[in-house]
């Protein structure tokens, strides 16, 4: 029995093993706001020499998740075995719930603590030699969903974890940035090289890319902190090398490349009035354009419009009568996006000849 509560046998109840709780009981350590009141009905069962007590009371899912995180953190401190899959499922559900928010007021009191502790999970698990990338990816997804409502706070806490890529150079020469001077790929790059490419699964990379895309849509003033290193990472680490990666899922491969091309196209098509009034956005556009004209990403782009790629040519020329209604929509979209970028680079390159950007 648990010394924190007492049960009183109920002899006239239809359940043979029915009891009533004699005192208020707080089952979740460190969560004082949830308790089971005295008089609550319970059923006791013995299984494999262990006694289980089922209290008939409603509880909030996020109290349970909060407790699960507390137990995991306690187990880590005591070097005990932990069940990461249970926690990962809980954090995924948290991200899904936040995704359905209509305003920040939808964040209930019960959700505050587990949401805050997502950053603690990232901070703790990133120190593991073999990290739980599924769990950490789910935590990044929560951060992504929070951006819309708590952008500045989430930005600062996420960046302080040193997970995302960064640039340390302070100059504004797009050629230097495009060449990778002062660029660090961060934990995202480390996990990509040491774990995800070997496994063929890219959950953490995709979660970071979604964070980058969502943050970019907010149009904040921190281009040098998030968007610039994100762009350099996409150009130098993904676009150039991803064709050599092993993918467990072809869907993952398509999703990553389609994301890359759509993100690059968005940068290349930043409106001219914004380019003129925002030197950092202009720098971002120029880094992208210069890379796709003069550096390795240029060749990678050409590969994706099927130049020198017989597999893609065969698929489209021999098997499809109409490229724009191809049944393999992902592959079709991939090539079309690559062609859109190529045409945009061709249009924008006139600026290089006229006024050097």
């Amino acid at each position: 029995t648990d010394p924190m509560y007492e049960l009183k046998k109920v002899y006239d109840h239809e359940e043979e093993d029915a009891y009533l709780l004699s005192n208020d009981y707080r089952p979740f350590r460190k969560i004082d706001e949830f308790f089971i009141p005295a008089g609550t009905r319970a059923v006791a069962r013995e299984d494999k020499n262990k006694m289980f007590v089922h209290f008939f009371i409603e509880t909030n899912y996020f109290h349970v998740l909060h407790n699960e995180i507390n137990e995991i953190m306690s187990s880590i401190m005591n070097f005990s075995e932990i069940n990461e899959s249970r926690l990962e499922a809980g954090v995924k559900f948290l991200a899904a719930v936040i995704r359905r928010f209509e305003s920040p007021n939808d964040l209930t009191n019960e959700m505050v603590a587990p949401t805050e502790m997502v950053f603690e999970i990232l901070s703790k698990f990133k120190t593991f030699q073999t990290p739980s990338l599924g769990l950490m990816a789910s935590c990044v997804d929560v951060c992504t969903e929070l951006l819309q409502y708590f952008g500045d706070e989430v930005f600062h806490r996420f960046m302080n974890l040193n997970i995302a890529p960064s640039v340390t150079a302070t100059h504004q020469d797009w050629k230097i940035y495009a060449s990778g001077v002062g660029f660090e790929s961060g934990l995202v790059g480390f996990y990509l090289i040491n774990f995800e490419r070997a496994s063929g699964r890219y959950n953490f990379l995709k979660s970071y890319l979604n964070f980058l895309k969502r943050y970019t849509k907010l149009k904040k003033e921190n281009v040098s902190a998030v968007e610039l290193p994100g762009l350099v990472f996409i150009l130098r680490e993904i676009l150039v090398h991803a064709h050599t990666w092993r993918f467990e899922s072809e869907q993952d491969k398509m999703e990553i490349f389609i994301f890359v091309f759509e993100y690059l196209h968005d940068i290349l098509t930043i409106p001219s009035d914004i380019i003129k009034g925002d030197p950092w956005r202009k720098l971002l556009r120029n880094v992208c354009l210069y890379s796709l004209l003069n550096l390795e990403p240029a060749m990678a782009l050409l590969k994706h419009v099927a130049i020198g790629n017989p597999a893609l040519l065969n698929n489209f020329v021999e098997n499809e009568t109409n490229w724009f209604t191809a049944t393999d929509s992902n592959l079709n979209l991939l090539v079309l996006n690559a062609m859109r970028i190529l045409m945009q680079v061709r249009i924008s390159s006139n600026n290089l000849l006229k006024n050097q950007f």
Side-chain angles (χ1 to χ4, degrees):
T1 60
D2 192 318
M4 301 299 294
Y5 68 88
E6 294 182 0
L7 296 175
K8 180 181 178 180
K9 181 71 175 175
V10 179
Y11 292 100
D12 59 349
H13 196 275
E14 59 185 22
E15 283 278 3
E16 181 180 347
D17 299 316
Y19 295 83
L20 290 179
L21 183 65
S22 299
N23 58 292
D24 292 349
Y25 171 50
R26 286 178 169 79
F28 300 149
R29 293 180 296 174
K30 303 179 181 179
I31 308 178
D32 293 335
E33 58 266 31
F34 175 73
F35 70 94
I36 303 175
T40 298
R41 190 166 67 88
V43 173
R45 293 282 189 270
E46 187 173 353
D47 183 39
K48 297 180 180 179
N49 299 320
K50 291 183 179 180
M51 182 64 73
F52 295 89
V53 179
H54 180 180
F55 293 99
F56 290 87
I57 185 173
E58 292 185 358
T59 185
N60 188 287
Y61 175 86
F62 295 103
H63 280 321
V64 179
L65 178 58
H66 184 186
N67 181 67
E68 187 75 17
I69 297 173
N70 284 337
E71 293 296 324
I72 288 283
M73 291 302 185
S74 177
S75 297
I76 292 173
M77 294 292 291
N78 296 323
F79 302 99
S80 303
E81 185 177 351
I82 59 177
N83 187 338
E84 298 169 357
S85 60
R86 278 167 54 101
L87 183 55
E88 180 182 341
V91 176
K92 279 184 177 179
F93 181 74
L94 175 61
V97 171
I98 298 174
R99 191 175 301 124
R100 297 174 65 88
F101 280 4
E102 295 182 357
S103 77
N105 296 328
D106 291 334
L107 187 72
T108 64
N109 291 334
E110 296 85 358
M111 296 178 67
V112 171
T115 301
E116 289 273 346
M117 295 182 78
V118 161
F119 296 97
E120 295 182 35
I121 296 172
L122 285 170
S123 179
K124 179 62 67 175
F125 277 81
K126 76 173 188 174
T127 64
F128 288 14
Q129 289 186 343
T130 305
S132 175
L133 293 183
L135 172 58
M136 296 185 68
S138 297
C139 290
V140 174
D141 290 341
V142 172
C143 297
T144 300
E145 300 304 332
L146 290 170
L147 277 173
Q148 181 178 351
Y149 307 107
F150 312 100
D152 290 338
E153 180 182 355
V154 173
F155 161 74
H156 289 296
R157 297 184 67 173
F158 184 80
M159 297 307 293
N160 286 339
L161 292 169
N162 296 318
I163 289 175
S166 62
V167 288
T168 56
T170 57
H171 47 73
Q172 292 195 13
D173 186 335
W174 63 83
K175 296 179 183 178
I176 301 299
Y177 280 122
S179 299
V181 175
F183 170 72
E184 297 288 342
S185 62
L187 205 62
V188 175
F190 177 79
Y191 286 164
L192 174 62
I193 293 173
N194 292 283
F195 298 103
E196 295 193 297
R197 284 170 55 181
S199 69
R201 297 185 298 273
Y202 299 87
N203 293 339
F204 194 74
L205 173 63
K206 291 197 297 182
S207 291
Y208 162 71
L209 292 177
N210 287 330
F211 180 92
L212 173 63
K213 182 177 181 179
R214 188 71 61 85
Y215 187 85
T216 299
K217 287 183 177 180
L218 296 178
K219 294 182 170 57
K220 295 287 187 177
E221 300 298 324
N222 298 306
V223 173
S224 62
V226 181
E227 295 168 63
L228 179 58
L231 172 63
V232 176
F233 178 75
I234 286 174
L235 289 166
R236 297 181 61 83
E237 304 298 329
I238 302 180
L239 181 59
V240 172
H241 300 293
H243 68 282
T244 66
W245 298 352
R246 184 177 77 85
F247 286 88
E248 189 175 84
S249 165
E250 187 68 18
Q251 181 68 23
D252 271 359
K253 181 178 182 179
M254 290 298 174
E255 286 179 3
I256 289 173
F257 273 118
I258 289 172
F259 174 94
V260 166
F261 289 137
E262 288 181 347
Y263 192 80
L264 296 179
H265 185 266
D266 287 345
I267 290 176
L268 289 171
T269 55
I270 295 175
S272 58
D273 58 329
I274 294 178
I275 293 293
K276 293 178 181 177
D278 188 336
W280 278 106
R281 300 285 172 194
K282 180 178 180 180
L283 174 68
L284 200 67
R285 193 279 312 269
N286 289 349
V287 168
C288 185
L289 183 56
Y290 181 79
S291 298
L292 293 173
L293 279 170
N294 300 283
L295 304 179
E296 285 184 276
M299 184 58 67
L301 175 63
L302 292 179
K303 288 179 181 178
H304 284 280
V305 279
I307 294 179
N309 193 329
L312 285 177
L313 283 174
N314 288 340
N315 185 73
F316 279 79
V317 176
E318 296 180 8
N319 300 327
E320 299 293 346
T321 57
N322 186 335
W323 287 14
F324 290 88
T325 59
T327 55
D328 191 341
S329 58
N330 280 335
L331 190 58
N332 189 34
L333 184 59
L334 178 65
V335 176
L336 289 177
N337 276 323
M339 292 177 68
R340 288 171 65 206
I341 293 175
L342 187 63
M343 289 186 286
Q344 189 62 43
V345 168
R346 180 73 181 99
I347 294 170
S348 301
S349 64
N350 293 330
N351 294 328
L352 178 64
L353 300 174
K354 293 179 179 178
N355 50 29
Q356 291 295 299
F357 293 77

